[in-house]
Amino acid sequence: MDDTDVQIRVQATAIVSSLAHKSEEIARNLLDSGVMTPLMSQIMPGTDPVLVEASERALNALLSYTSTKMGIEEYAITIVPYLMSIIAETKESTSAYEMHAHARIELAVQILGKLCATEARQYMVANTGVIELLVPLLPCNYPKIQVATLQTLSALSYENMEICRALSLVSHKGMSLPAIVLELARHHDPEIQLHACLCLSNLSRMRVANGWLKDIQTVAVPALVKLIKNPQVSNLDAIQALGYLCHEDADIQVAAKNAGAIVELINILTEIEGQEGEDFVDQAHNIRVAKTTFLTLGTIVSTGEECRSKAVECHAFVHLVRAMKHTDNGVKSAACLCTQYIVRSVPICRTHVPESGLLKPLLALLRTAPAEVQVNASAALINLLPDFSPCRSEALKEGVVDILVTLMESDVVMIRRNALWCIRNLLVGVDDDTRREIIEKIKIQRIYELSLPGVESVIREKAVGVLQNITADSVLGTHMIFDTLGSDRVLELLHQLLTSKLDNSIHTHTLYLINNIAVRSQPHCELIVKYSKLLQAVVGYINSSVSEVAIGALWCVNSIASHRRDTEAEQEDEETGGISRRTSKYMPELDELGIQAILEDMKDDSSLCLSVRDRVKSCLDYFNIPAS
């Protein structure tokens, strides 16, 4: 490409462009070979115009892939001003060269968007004043330029709160940018509609378009649903845009359901399933569409009961079960994620899931699928194992505990976390025989090890939660923990968990674990009371600013105070109608820590939430001396 003959250089540059379009690997190899250096020299002032344009097209082709966008860092700062100069100078062009000028603007705007591959690049591009240059192009009535501009504004603002906020404040000829883009979302050109909706999705996700939320619901959402079945645009892009717009926004999810999104998405899955194995069908494309459809459907049903019910009504479970047996792991994983969101519904879990046939293929994935699938499959299983779920007994018969024990040793943190969460759910509301069987398989020693310092916080939190539920509902779990570990290790673990700077959820689980031990076993309660450092740590959380933690500590005090001194004290309580400071076995230890004074101060503290004050009043009952 350094040949001095311009025609040869133009042809060589065109070959680079053609090669770059073939695959990401080829484009990456071209970059690695140093092709950017001659390309950049060919767009310098004084270069032949034909060669300049060929170089711009080659640059656009090279930046068509994620890895290549990331690989031109050293050139980005030079390219941006050059592209802006093309836009600024060429958009004034008229006469016979007008169409040619528009093509150059379109190309320059496209390249600008491709440069916004990282947050740092977004800021670098935005800080050059490009927003003010691009916004006037939106109402220019040249569809290709409008599409390119919308694409670049979307790339510039993607997941960037500050730039989204700046865009929401920009205006052109008295119209704000959101208003201009909303108008384009109503455009007759489906390509313009699609990219306008994507731009609005960015603003909506960053919560900077709240004043336009109703318009987004009534304009962008129905537009995207219609675009899903419009052959003039990629249904894959339309489905992705809808999913992105609906992410974590319950109102937009309901708007999507009302616009018929769930019905259309299920129809797409039905159509794809009908084409499996057919010749002359792009099966790779269908796999991408199926995966994206499940992800978008999962997003729409992630929050609201009415959306989940609509999905079930449209026979979503039939497609989910089928997808779990698909040959593509991406489709399996997306189906598991969608399942996780649908079965969050207690009524659906109770009434529809048992007949759906979901459980067996889900367990099969947890036995043999790769980690990328098991992450979402194990997350879906969590919602099938609470005590209200009819699937729990079937899961136990199918050997779910053995599966979870294996998953507890996975190399992937989220799989280990989900496995412990499933075990925690299994331990609630079971009879002692089942509880013993589960505990013997999961091994208390292993759960103890996962609760120690040095283990990832999310794993410790779930492991302590498992210990909490081992001791729930029955004294059996408490005896098994102390018999396995010994009282010294148990008490030291509890003290370490309460006195370390850990997540509030770990402190909460620890306090309820202590409460379970204290309330169900007087001998083990005595161990807690006599281990003064531990009792002091518990009391220290009574006035925690986190209400869940404070309530957990108050329950511990409540349970400790509930033990009577002896039979004579029990008889006195029957005569007076409740335990009091005269009959409570551990009142001296509680008095030594000044608990009554702390509770008296909290009783009328209006800054505390009602649930904390109610628990305070219940605790104070033990400190009152009943009338004779």
Side-chain angles (χ1 to χ4, degrees):
M1 286 174 61
D2 289 329
D3 197 298
T4 54
D5 189 298
V6 172
Q7 287 304 316
I8 293 177
R9 294 172 70 186
V10 169
Q11 291 174 25
T13 305
I15 291 171
V16 168
S17 181
S18 179
L19 289 171
H21 277 302
K22 286 185 179 295
S23 74
E24 183 169 1
E25 183 182 359
I26 292 173
R28 180 74 256 177
N29 288 337
L30 286 167
L31 278 187
D32 292 342
S33 69
V35 74
M36 283 298 296
T37 301
L39 277 181
M40 292 299 293
S41 69
Q42 291 177 178
I43 61 173
M44 291 297 104
T47 307
D48 182 88
V50 176
L51 182 57
V52 169
E53 291 180 32
S55 301
E56 290 166 2
R57 285 192 292 273
L59 182 59
N60 189 44
L62 284 166
L63 296 179
S64 297
Y65 313 99
T66 302
S67 65
T68 53
K69 289 174 187 176
M70 304 293 286
I72 60 156
E73 194 68 44
E74 62 183 290
Y75 301 102
I77 197 165
T78 305
I79 296 172
V80 173
Y82 171 74
L83 296 171
M84 290 179 64
S85 69
I86 293 175
I87 299 167
E89 294 168 10
T90 315
K91 72 177 183 178
E92 304 298 332
S93 299
T94 56
S95 72
Y97 296 97
E98 190 170 12
M99 293 303 296
H100 174 258
H102 293 161
R104 283 204 77 195
I105 291 176
E106 178 196 354
L107 189 59
V109 173
Q110 284 178 342
I111 298 171
L112 269 176
K114 291 176 179 180
L115 290 173
C116 300
T118 64
E119 185 180 271
R121 295 254 202 94
Q122 288 174 324
Y123 283 120
M124 186 267 288
V125 172
N127 289 337
T128 62
V130 75
I131 294 174
E132 290 75 13
L133 197 62
L134 291 177
V135 173
L137 297 176
L138 290 174
C140 72
N141 292 323
Y142 296 103
K144 289 187 177 181
I145 292 179
Q146 289 172 298
V147 169
T149 304
L150 287 166
Q151 288 175 322
T152 295
L153 288 173
S154 293
L156 187 63
S157 60
Y158 180 72
E159 296 290 330
N160 192 312
M161 171 74 78
E162 192 173 340
I163 292 178
C164 281
R165 188 177 291 117
L167 286 174
S168 70
L169 300 175
V170 173
S171 63
H172 175 66
K173 294 185 177 179
M175 284 185 73
S176 69
L177 177 90
I180 295 170
V181 178
L182 272 165
E183 281 301 310
L184 294 176
R186 298 183 177 96
H187 202 279
H188 60 83
D189 185 320
E191 194 77 21
I192 291 175
Q193 271 192 304
L194 174 61
H195 291 288
C197 290
L198 274 169
C199 199
L200 289 170
S201 298
N202 287 352
L203 301 179
S204 176
R205 279 281 291 269
M206 294 295 102
R207 301 292 186 266
V208 300
N210 291 338
W212 303 95
L213 187 58
K214 198 67 182 174
D215 294 300
I216 291 172
Q217 290 177 20
T218 56
V219 176
V221 174
L224 284 171
V225 174
K226 289 177 183 175
L227 288 169
I228 287 173
K229 50 189 177 181
N230 190 321
Q232 293 180 269
V233 295
S234 162
N235 63 347
L236 181 61
D237 289 342
I239 295 165
Q240 284 178 327
L242 181 62
Y244 188 74
L245 181 59
C246 291
H247 183 71
E248 294 184 354
D249 193 313
D251 292 333
I252 292 181
Q253 289 163 13
V254 172
K257 188 270 295 181
N258 292 339
I262 293 173
V263 174
E264 290 301 330
L265 293 172
I266 296 294
N267 287 343
I268 286 172
L269 293 172
T270 304
E271 182 181 344
I272 289 173
E273 289 164 3
Q275 294 174 346
E276 286 179 7
E278 286 189 7
D279 296 331
F280 311 112
V281 172
D282 188 344
Q283 298 295 346
H285 174 74
N286 275 0
I287 286 172
R288 290 193 296 273
V289 173
K291 175 183 173 181
T292 304
T293 301
F294 280 120
L295 292 174
T296 295
L297 181 60
T299 299
I300 293 172
V301 302
S302 62
T303 306
E305 197 68 25
E306 58 183 301
C307 295
R308 294 175 187 142
S309 298
K310 184 65 178 179
V312 172
E313 179 189 316
C314 293
H315 309 293
F317 282 140
V318 174
H319 302 284
L320 290 168
V321 170
R322 182 166 180 155
M324 288 180 189
K325 302 172 185 176
H326 202 280
T327 55
D328 183 81
N329 288 325
V331 173
K332 292 176 186 175
S333 181
C336 289
L337 183 66
C338 186
T339 300
Q340 174 193 351
Y341 290 135
I342 292 180
V343 299
R344 278 179 176 175
S345 163
V346 174
I348 289 173
C349 196
R350 280 177 168 161
T351 57
H352 296 282
V353 173
E355 302 169 352
S356 68
L358 274 173
L359 183 64
K360 288 187 178 180
L362 196 62
L363 294 179
L365 293 176
L366 291 172
R367 287 189 180 98
T368 60
E372 65 182 282
V373 178
Q374 289 184 336
V375 169
N376 288 336
S378 56
L381 185 64
I382 292 168
N383 294 330
L384 298 181
L385 298 181
D387 54 344
F388 58 75
S389 172
C391 291
R392 179 199 268 193
S393 58
E394 184 186 351
L396 288 168
K397 291 174 187 174
E398 292 288 334
V400 70
V401 179
D402 293 323
I403 294 171
L404 295 173
V405 168
T406 301
L407 295 179
M408 278 170 54
E409 305 306 320
S410 168
D411 294 333
V412 181
V413 172
M414 294 309 291
I415 294 176
R416 299 204 303 274
R417 184 204 73 152
N418 292 343
L420 288 165
W421 199 338
C422 287
I423 291 166
R424 185 181 166 207
N425 282 355
L426 279 173
L427 287 163
V428 177
V430 292
D431 59 68
D432 277 359
D433 289 341
T434 304
R435 185 181 301 276
R436 185 185 298 278
E437 182 181 349
I438 294 171
I439 293 171
E440 287 175 349
K441 286 186 175 181
I442 64 174
K443 308 293 183 190
I444 286 173
Q445 175 65 31
R446 183 60 181 139
I447 303 301
Y448 167 77
E449 290 167 358
L450 295 175
S451 305
L452 294 173
V455 177
E456 299 94 334
S457 180
V458 291
I459 300 299
R460 291 186 81 186
E461 189 258 329
K462 291 296 178 260
V464 178
V466 170
L467 291 174
Q468 174 193 337
N469 284 5
I470 284 175
T471 60
D473 306 324
S474 167
V475 74
L476 171 68
T478 297
H479 286 306
M480 292 184 75
I481 288 174
F482 276 85
D483 290 347
T484 302
L485 301 177
S487 59
D488 289 346
R489 281 206 294 172
V490 174
L491 296 173
E492 187 54 41
L493 173 65
L494 296 174
H495 178 256
Q496 190 276 329
L497 289 169
L498 285 186
T499 54
S500 299
K501 191 172 182 180
L502 299 171
D503 189 84
N504 287 323
S505 56
I506 296 180
H507 293 148
T508 303
H509 289 321
T510 305
L511 289 165
Y512 279 106
L513 168 58
I514 293 169
N515 172 70
N516 291 344
I517 294 169
V519 75
R520 289 188 174 86
S521 172
Q522 190 275 323
H524 293 110
C525 179
E526 179 140 347
L527 292 173
I528 291 169
V529 173
K530 299 304 180 186
Y531 193 58
S532 58
K533 291 193 300 182
L534 177 57
L535 187 58
Q536 287 171 6
V538 171
V539 173
Y541 283 103
I542 287 177
N543 46 19
S544 169
S545 59
V546 181
S547 58
E548 293 83 0
V549 175
I551 291 170
L554 289 164
W555 269 113
C556 290
V557 171
N558 195 100
S559 297
I560 291 168
S562 69
H563 290 286
R564 300 181 180 90
R565 289 198 313 271
D566 47 35
T567 306
E568 183 181 333
E570 185 174 347
Q571 183 178 351
E572 181 179 337
D573 289 338
E574 288 176 3
E575 293 170 358
T576 59
I579 299 175
S580 71
R581 63 163 43 256
R582 270 206 304 259
T583 57
S584 177
K585 182 177 179 66
Y586 301 116
M587 191 54 65
E589 288 84 354
L590 297 175
D591 278 344
E592 188 176 330
L593 295 171
I595 291 178
Q596 184 170 4
I598 297 172
L599 296 175
E600 293 286 358
D601 288 341
M602 295 174 68
K603 179 178 63 174
D604 300 315
D605 186 346
S606 59
S607 67
L608 299 175
C609 69
L610 187 59
S611 54
V612 171
R613 281 186 283 162
D614 285 345
R615 183 53 32 208
V616 167
K617 290 172 184 175
S618 296
C619 284
L620 275 171
D621 290 342
Y622 291 107
F623 291 84
N624 296 326
I625 301 175
S628 301

